[in-house]
Amino acid sequence: EKYGFPAYELHVAEHRHVLEDMGKELGYWRSHRDVARLKDYLLTEFPRWLMNRLVNMDTVSATYISRVRHNDLDQAKGF
């Protein structure tokens, strides 16, 4: 938000979504003690989301913020 990232709301929504999924999986495990399902989520589903997230959204976000910060530093130096 600080850097005006155009996809900020989408970025935050994705974090909320995965936290909701984690909460649902935890709740399901607490109710059913389904170790196989929890294991699948922790070893397959979540890592898949995380890798996709890192390769796509987080790389784009970091690149954007880096460019904005670089431009801000140049302006502060009078370039």
Side-chain angles (χ1 to χ4, degrees), residues 3-59:
Y3 296 101
F5 182 54
Y8 175 77
E9 291 300 324
L10 176 63
H11 188 98
V12 171
E14 271 296 308
H15 280 264
R16 287 186 193 122
H17 177 74
V18 79
L19 290 173
E20 287 174 12
D21 283 351
M22 285 179 175
K24 288 176 187 174
E25 290 300 325
L26 178 59
Y28 189 87
W29 182 79
R30 285 180 173 160
S31 298
H32 299 89
R33 300 293 182 189
D34 186 342
V35 174
R37 177 178 165 143
L38 182 60
K39 182 179 175 181
D40 180 60
Y41 178 77
L42 293 174
L43 298 179
T44 305
E45 297 301 320
F46 180 71
R48 183 181 302 140
W49 175 86
L50 185 59
M51 288 305 298
N52 183 51
R53 176 72 184 200
L54 291 171
V55 169
N56 294 303
M57 181 64 78
D58 288 347
T59 300

Side-chain angles (χ1 to χ4, degrees), residues 3 66-79:
Y3 296 101
S66 176
R67 286 183 183 156
V68 169
R69 289 188 69 210
H70 182 75
N71 289 340
D72 287 350
L73 289 173
D74 284 349
Q75 287 178 2
K77 292 177 185 176
F79 294 122

